[in-house]
Amino acid sequence: MPSTDLVSGVFAASLTPMTPAGAPDHTMAVGHCRWLLENGCDGLAPLGTTGEANSQSLADRMALIEAIAAAGLPANRVVVGTGGCALGDTVALTRCAIDAGYPNALVLPPFYYKGVSDDGLFAYYAALIERIGDPQFRLYLYHFPQMSAVPLSPALIGRLRDAFGDVVAGLKDSSGDWANTKHLIDAFPGFRVFSGSEQFLADNVAAGGVGCISASVNVTAPLAARVLRADPADRAQLQQELTAIRTALQGFPMIPALKRILEWHTGNPGWRNVLPPLLALSEAEATELRRKIADFPLFRDEIALGAATASR
Amino acid sequence: MPSTDLVSGVFAASLTPMTPAGAPDHTMAVGHCRWLLENGCDGLAPLGTTGEANSQSLADRMALIEAIAAAGLPANRVVVGTGGCALGDTVALTRCAIDAGYPNALVLPPFYYKGVSDDGLFAYYAALIERIGDPQFRLYLYHFPQMSAVPLSPALIGRLRDAFGDVVAGLKDSSGDWANTKHLIDAFPGFRVFSGSEQFLADNVAAGGVGCISASVNVTAPLAARVLRADPADRAQLQQELTAIRTALQGFPMIPALKRILEWHTGNPGWRNVLPPLLALSEAEATELRRKIADFPLFRDEIALGAATASR
């Protein structure tokens, strides 16, 4: 038995359905995870930015990890987001994920203090690896400078790889800067680089990356899977279609928009709930969203249900 | 008995001494709080940015609140930092502070998501007030856009004051933008506005603000108190001296620099410990810091001890 399960392919940064009281709805969450795995996803990254992880209490995050494990979602198809501002919380969440059977963790840098040094970030990640102290653990760095405001430089990544080898297994690059992604793939052989958007999926795998972990894959999974598995002759056309959908969705607050589409997909209005400071789409935004996605055959069923909901 | 205790004057955003293992050192913390209250501070704001609150686990933050309460620090001299990214954690910390006898809380906006709407921030603070549901609770907003990257607009503050009155009691303005502080004092009568630096102390109280809550007050408290209590004829000169010290300190990573000065003040090298991603000052930085503060009579004792430590 290998000590870890490598992850690759099309991953959804999976949404967290919430109860009206603002707690994760485990039944809906597990149902959505299963739907994703059965409809094109190679895997899931729960409790990331899209999963509203940092808006959830520590206890809620741990309970969701355990609910996913109890549902039997396989270890080689899950990368759990475990990064917080406090090393102690990040250690506790990572330990919870490993104990639940998920050794692959996606870990933000500590994001409260800004302008911190690479030495300070190295100390943080080194302390995490040492305190976890488990040979199974695989760390995926999470580079999302627009949200964390704490970038992870290639120099820092190199130092971590030099010190800890393949324990520092990979990275999700949500910068939207393809040149940065390409540089990381080229600079660090064996380092497993995911793009943070399926808009770069074809480029990523052609360049030697391992796939994408993306918010919008919560609704584009079937098409993203076709891009990944397409013959070279067909891939460019399919990628163009996938990129057009991603681009359309980027005109809306991403998480509330994805949740609204899932309401249309499932008929369950519970999908509308988000945690503050996020807000559900306004009716005007929802109408505009329905109009925008009507251009795409992928959403035929959702458009029909969305129209039915709107006419109630 | 009044339902709350109003706070005003010179407040230190108090540092959290740490054990080598990275937990708050309660004995040192209480000792430092007592020293501040006996040496010029009207009050303390533990567990803010300076207190490395967001680098501490939830459990460690709660234990520190309880240690401060157990030491008998008075309610009208304490504003506890309780803001995190997750509403659930912020509610738990605020409840912990109120239960410990501290109804005044300094609360950051949720700071993971960037570019959020005023409607979303209003929803967050409104939910906090409603979930706390305690008439004693007094909310001090914490505006620190350079660190949180989530500004609190005057429009939002006005909406919160309109909805919740004096429960939304005041604000710490750490923007460094005096025009913003002045505008908030003028725009919201009865709103208790603290400057985030003692460099604005004289201006703040002259304009009708209630004082300062500042990192560097951890070492400047005796002089800051003299500024606050000075005759109008002497105040400008004393403020100039205080501002010069603050300006000198700003040339260094603030929290590690303050901790190094407290090591020199107390002779306790435990003061050097910080939590990642912060790092202790390098020896070169410490030497430069000692050289810089040697210009100021306030630090005569610290300079002597710093020199003795360096020559060991």
Side-chain angles (χ1 to χ4, degrees), chain A residues 49 54 85 112-114 147, chain B residues 49 54 85 112-114 147:
Chain A
T49 303
N54 278 304
C85 294
Y112 181 63
Y113 295 101
K114 308 303 188 291
M147 200 65 89
Chain B
T49 302
N54 279 304
C85 294
Y112 182 63
Y113 295 101
K114 307 304 188 293
M147 200 65 89

Side-chain angles (χ1 to χ4, degrees), chain A:
Chain A
M1 194 178 99
S3 67
T4 57
D5 299 280
L6 295 175
V7 285
S8 67
V10 170
F11 273 58
S14 53
L15 290 157
T16 308
M18 300 289 175
T19 67
D25 184 315
H26 293 174
T27 306
M28 284 176 71
V30 168
H32 180 56
C33 289
R34 289 220 170 97
W35 181 84
L36 287 167
L37 292 178
E38 290 162 7
N39 286 275
C41 276
D42 297 293
L44 309 169
L47 290 165
T49 303
T50 311
E52 297 174 82
N54 278 304
S55 298
Q56 296 176 40
S57 71
L58 195 64
D60 281 350
R61 279 186 281 181
M62 289 186 177
L64 185 59
I65 292 169
E66 284 157 10
I68 288 170
L73 301 190
N76 64 345
R77 301 182 75 180
V78 176
V79 182
V80 182
T82 64
C85 294
L87 179 61
D89 290 343
T90 300
V91 168
L93 283 162
T94 305
R95 169 56 55 204
C96 173
I98 295 171
D99 288 349
Y102 301 122
N104 300 298
L106 181 63
V107 185
L108 282 164
F111 54 85
Y112 181 63
Y113 295 101
K114 308 303 188 291
V116 295
S117 65
D118 274 8
D119 286 348
L121 294 173
F122 182 90
Y124 180 92
Y125 281 118
L128 172 63
I129 292 167
E130 282 154 17
R131 285 176 61 177
I132 292 296
D134 188 320
Q136 287 191 92
F137 175 42
R138 288 297 175 272
L139 169 62
Y140 286 79
L141 302 167
Y142 189 176
H143 177 58
F144 194 177
Q146 294 91 331
M147 200 65 89
S148 68
V150 178
L152 300 175
S153 71
L156 171 65
I157 295 163
R159 285 177 61 190
L160 287 166
R161 290 276 294 176
D162 287 347
F164 300 104
D166 283 338
V167 172
V168 182
L171 176 140
K172 176 185 177 189
D173 185 357
S174 293
S175 67
D177 175 2
W178 168 248
N180 185 64
T181 311
K182 179 77 166 59
H183 174 72
L184 297 179
I185 293 169
D186 293 343
F188 304 113
F191 193 52
R192 305 174 67 77
V193 180
F194 288 92
S195 286
S197 163
E198 70 271 40
Q199 119 187 49
F200 302 112
L201 180 57
D203 287 340
N204 179 291
V205 294
V210 295
C212 70
I213 301 176
S214 171
S216 37
V217 163
N218 279 280
V219 299
T220 67
L223 180 57
R226 288 177 62 204
V227 171
L228 188 67
R229 286 159 185 76
D231 290 334
D234 303 329
R235 186 176 270 171
Q237 174 60 33
L238 286 166
Q239 176 68 63
Q240 203 168 15
E241 197 178 326
L242 184 62
T243 297
I245 295 175
R246 168 78 185 194
T247 304
L249 292 171
Q250 282 175 175
F252 299 87
M254 181 64 85
I255 296 164
L258 296 173
K259 285 190 157 181
R260 194 62 175 251
I261 292 173
L262 283 160
E263 178 187 338
W264 296 333
H265 180 74
T266 61
N268 184 344
W271 268 112
R272 214 175 287 193
N273 301 325
V274 293
L275 297 183
L278 302 187
L279 293 173
L281 288 196
S282 67
E283 287 314 298
E285 286 172 320
T287 301
E288 175 66 10
L289 175 63
R290 206 170 56 242
R291 200 186 62 74
K292 275 275 170 65
I293 66 172
D295 295 341
F296 304 109
L298 179 68
F299 295 122
R300 198 186 51 231
D301 295 343
E302 288 76 6
I303 297 154
L305 188 54
T309 309
S311 65
R312 262 178 209 161

